[in-house]
Amino acid sequence: MLIDEARLEEIRLTGGLAPDASAQGATISAATLTGVRVAGARLDGLHLKDCVVTGADFANTCLRDAMFERCVLTDCRMTGVDLSRTRIRDVSFNDCMLDMANFAESRIDRTEFGGSSLRESIFEQTQLRD
């Protein structure tokens, strides 16, 4: 179970959260997340650092004010994800479904969207670098 301000390090995560789950300011670092289902959850301020995420479902998840650093996300379902005001740095999105994702007011540095779908995604006032 993920709770407010949780600190999870060097772990392997699988499974899912209830669709109405909520946790603010949680940090997950040096972790492997496989098949994690958090669709519809509210995880504002989530900090993912040095993580490998494969086959996760983040559809319609609220991740406002989150931070993703040095992560690789592969084959993730992220349709409708809210990543507004998020800091994304040194991240690879590989073959991810990011249709209708909201990146408004985010800062995205040295990030790759290889083979990912970004149809109807929002990048208003987003800073994109490198």
Side-chain angles (χ1 to χ4, degrees), residues 2 25-28 43-48 63-68:
L2 199 56
T27 299
I28 301 173
L43 303 173
D44 294 331
L46 176 69
H47 187 176
L48 281 182
L63 293 166
R64 286 186 194 127
D65 299 308
M67 179 177 280
F68 289 32

Side-chain angles (χ1 to χ4, degrees), residues 64-78:
R64 286 186 194 127
D65 299 308
M67 179 177 280
F68 289 32
E69 293 182 275
R70 295 182 305 272
C71 295
V72 176
L73 291 90
T74 303
D75 194 30
C76 294
R77 180 175 174 248
M78 302 180 81

Side-chain angles (χ1 to χ4, degrees), residues 21-40:
S22 178
Q24 293 187 4
T27 299
I28 301 173
S29 62
T32 301
L33 291 76
T34 305
V36 172
R37 294 175 315 280
V38 294

Side-chain angles (χ1 to χ4, degrees), residues 2-62:
L2 199 56
I3 59 172
D4 289 353
E5 304 298 327
R7 301 277 183 252
L8 306 173
E9 297 180 10
E10 297 181 17
I11 61 169
R12 291 184 184 269
L13 291 174
T14 59
L17 296 176
D20 60 349
S22 178
Q24 293 187 4
T27 299
I28 301 173
S29 62
T32 301
L33 291 76
T34 305
V36 172
R37 294 175 315 280
V38 294
R42 185 170 193 95
L43 303 173
D44 294 331
L46 176 69
H47 187 176
L48 281 182
K49 183 177 179 182
D50 300 317
C51 292
V52 174
V53 183
T54 306
D57 186 354
F58 288 96
N60 300 311
T61 299
C62 186

